[in-house]
Amino acid sequence: MTLALAGTVNAQETDVTIVLASEPVSLDPCMTAANDNGRVALGNIFNGLTARNPETGALEPALASSWTQLDGNKWEFDLRDGVTFHDGSPLDAEAVKYSIERTLNENLTCETRTKFFAGGEYAVEAADADTIVITTDATDPILPLKMANVMIHPTSVPFDELQRTAPGTGPYVLDDWAAGQRVLLTRYDGYWGETPEVATGKFIWRSESSVRAAMVTQGEADLAPSIAVQDVTEEYGVAYPNAESTRLNLDMLTPPLDDRRIREAIALAIDRDAMLGTVMSSGAEKATQLYHPTTIGWSDEVTMWEYDPERARALLDEAKADGVPIDAPIQFIGRIGHFPGAKDFHEVIAIMLSDVGLNVELEWVEAAVKNRLQVKPFEEGRRAQIFVDQHDNTSGDPVFTLPSRYGSEGAQSKVADPELDQLLKEAAGATGEARVDAWKAAAAKIEEILPDTMLFHMVGYAAIGDGIEYTPTMFTNSSVQLADISLK
């Protein structure tokens, strides 16, 4: 009996509980690019061929031990030896080829494809059991970086159907998923890397930030990776660099938002300074582009819109005189539990837009509904729509942001501009200073079109319990890796 009790205590000491804002929608390897899913699955259940170091940002080997650019359009990846999937099957070139082709399968609603692989064609060849060769239709100098986002799985996963989850190669295997209650991950004994300290990770969710923070302070959870600034305590709270940038995604395909004057009026209607320190953390920064200034090609020539409601009203009056239906209802869609303080944030935005004369109707939806509405094909016969959209470019290159959101073929794009398409294509294939300049040219063109209203670069706060050591990074909003947690 004594030995059994000791074993129980030891097991408890190697278990951690993480409380999130919302339940993952899917743990399919194709859907880990969505934050709700990635926080649980990325780096825990699944690995890519490559990975970025969270401290240095450097690209490192993961399931690929090395890679070589054979020519401008062709890359070769050598696979790591001795890796097995959670179902016991071996990692080989056929599984990698299948995983990449499934990710790029247009018959599958795949978040990874829409976020990281807008446009372009990729031919994947299993050269031998341990070697993958990828050929692109255009020069792609950062293909190894893109491969960090493709989660590898066995060929047993259905090609045309999303799954609740799948076998991966990560340090943890999905043990149980009780819908609406918890996700339980347990350590995988056959993991190819270093054995993590944490034996079991339990992910639970509570929509209220104050509740998540209180669970940590009361010892009911070990980590709450995203809490509101007002819930931060000196003993348990910590700020961290948040890669998220927030915008109003405007449906410029439908009236009245198809008129640029209306979109400019929206940019002028938002009092960003008044939001800082009230419904937004005072540590957030006003944004002009959908990625941080540390990203290559960020341009300091893009307009920082200032609050000017009189100019906004004048633009609306001008458009109305030209027959633009400025009184048409605009559906302002908010995602339940999107980020700490999201309710107040959305309500303030709605008030500001209504104040200048727009007919805005705030509606709340679950994450899965919002994600579906923002991806092509868009709903036919819809009202004009505005979404609060958060995007985290942790890869440091605009190719992971701009083509999917502003290119004609982009899965989330409501823009169809041939000149912009050409600029995006040139930037994606360029290197060095030419790449930097090309992305800046694309940023200038996007400002000219004005498909959205940029708001803030966000700052994150986490509550960390007494029993663990964990340092949040810019990747924390996308992935909470149990292997990064040490036990005290």
Side-chain angles (χ1 to χ4, degrees):
M1 182 181 296
T2 302
L3 289 173
L5 179 59
T8 301
V9 171
N10 184 63
Q12 291 173 343
E13 290 176 348
T14 60
D15 297 347
V16 297
T17 298
I18 296 97
V19 56
L20 307 174
S22 56
E23 182 176 6
V25 176
S26 168
L27 297 180
D28 186 291
C30 202
M31 298 300 289
T32 55
N35 288 354
D36 291 336
N37 310 326
R39 287 188 186 102
V40 176
L42 274 179
N44 290 323
I45 301 175
F46 302 109
N47 302 121
L49 292 179
T50 61
R52 286 191 76 204
N53 185 303
E55 296 180 1
T56 66
L59 193 64
E60 299 179 341
L63 296 182
S65 56
S66 63
W67 50 91
T68 305
Q69 188 170 15
L70 301 179
D71 59 41
N73 292 48
K74 185 176 292 187
W75 288 84
E76 181 179 273
F77 295 82
D78 296 319
L79 301 184
R80 187 180 295 274
D81 293 330
V83 178
T84 60
F85 292 105
H86 298 155
D87 63 359
S89 61
L91 171 76
D92 59 19
E94 286 298 331
V96 174
K97 170 181 165 65
Y98 185 83
S99 299
I100 296 171
E101 290 178 342
R102 182 177 185 267
T103 298
L104 301 176
N105 176 16
E106 294 187 356
N107 295 323
L108 197 66
T109 302
C110 178
E111 186 78 15
T112 300
R113 184 185 73 254
T114 60
K115 188 170 183 178
F116 299 110
F117 292 90
E121 297 180 5
Y122 302 82
V124 188
E125 174 192 357
D128 57 46
D130 302 313
T131 309
I132 281 287
V133 176
I134 303 175
T135 305
T136 59
D137 62 334
T139 301
D140 192 347
I142 62 166
L143 184 67
L145 184 58
K146 289 184 177 180
M147 287 299 108
N149 302 294
V150 179
M151 298 298 104
I152 307 303
H153 53 77
T155 58
S156 58
V157 181
F159 194 71
D160 288 325
E161 297 178 8
L162 286 177
Q163 303 298 294
R164 201 177 193 207
T165 189
T169 59
Y172 294 89
V173 61
L174 177 63
D175 185 284
D176 183 50
W177 184 353
Q181 299 178 46
R182 62 178 171 81
V183 170
L184 194 66
L185 304 184
T186 55
R187 197 163 51 199
Y188 175 51
D189 291 337
Y191 177 53
W192 55 270
E194 184 177 342
T195 301
E197 285 188 45
V198 173
T200 301
K202 181 168 69 173
F203 292 83
I204 58 178
W205 38 89
R206 301 291 185 270
S207 59
E208 292 296 325
S209 167
S210 58
V211 173
R212 297 195 299 276
M215 291 180 71
V216 173
T217 60
Q218 294 167 12
E220 298 174 31
D222 297 288
L223 172 65
S226 179
I227 60 173
V229 61
Q230 63 266 25
D231 299 320
V232 174
T233 65
E234 184 175 348
E235 184 177 2
Y236 295 98
V238 60
Y240 63 93
N242 185 333
E244 299 279 7
S245 298
T246 304
R247 64 169 176 162
L248 296 183
N249 177 210
L250 310 178
D251 185 359
M252 57 181 286
L253 299 176
T254 54
L257 299 179
D258 58 345
D259 190 292
R260 190 191 185 282
R261 290 169 294 186
I262 308 302
R263 302 196 297 276
E264 183 173 341
I266 291 172
L268 294 165
I270 307 301
D271 190 347
R272 296 163 182 78
D273 290 325
M275 297 176 72
L276 289 170
T278 53
V279 297
M280 286 295 301
S281 167
S282 58
E285 299 178 358
K286 294 189 290 185
T288 63
Q289 289 141 84
L290 200 49
Y291 36 75
H292 281 245
T294 54
T295 305
I296 71 162
W298 184 88
S299 174
D300 57 6
E301 296 182 3
V302 176
T303 299
M304 177 70 74
W305 294 96
E306 301 297 339
Y307 181 52
D308 191 345
E310 292 306 316
R311 173 60 181 158
R313 295 185 187 101
L315 285 168
L316 294 179
D317 289 342
E318 179 185 313
K320 184 175 183 179
D322 289 340
V324 177
I326 69 166
D327 297 326
I330 299 174
Q331 190 179 21
F332 183 30
I333 300 172
R335 194 190 100 187
I336 298 169
H338 194 171
F339 52 87
K343 184 175 184 295
D344 291 340
F345 182 96
H346 283 73
E347 289 175 349
V348 166
I349 295 285
I351 291 170
M352 290 176 177
L353 297 181
S354 299
D355 182 61
V356 297
L358 292 169
N359 183 8
V360 174
E361 300 173 355
L362 177 58
E363 298 180 22
W364 293 96
V365 300
E366 296 287 349
V369 176
K370 178 179 179 289
N371 292 343
R372 179 70 217 83
L373 291 174
Q374 283 194 275
V375 176
K376 292 176 179 175
F378 303 124
E379 285 189 335
E380 295 290 339
R382 66 189 180 280
R383 290 175 288 166
Q385 295 174 334
I386 299 176
F387 297 88
V388 172
D389 185 40
Q390 282 201 141
H391 170 62
D392 59 330
N393 186 332
T394 56
S395 298
D397 193 288
V399 76
F400 299 109
T401 300
L402 302 187
S404 64
R405 286 160 179 79
Y406 305 121
S408 296
E409 301 302 319
Q412 298 182 35
S413 173
K414 301 179 178 75
V415 180
D417 186 283
E419 182 181 342
L420 177 57
D421 288 341
Q422 183 60 32
L423 289 171
L424 295 175
K425 182 179 180 180
E426 291 173 1
T431 58
E433 285 303 312
R435 189 178 186 89
V436 172
D437 293 340
W439 285 128
K440 288 184 177 182
K445 184 63 180 179
I446 291 167
E447 180 184 25
E448 177 186 320
I449 298 169
L450 204 63
D452 52 24
T453 294
M454 287 306 307
L455 296 174
F456 301 102
H457 299 308
M458 310 289 273
V459 62
Y461 296 92
I464 302 174
D466 293 327
I468 67 169
E469 291 183 359
Y470 176 74
T471 302
T473 70
M474 66 184 296
F475 296 98
T476 297
N477 260 34
S478 304
S479 171
V480 180
Q481 296 192 24
L482 297 171
D484 293 336
I485 297 175
S486 298
L487 304 166
K488 293 183 178 179

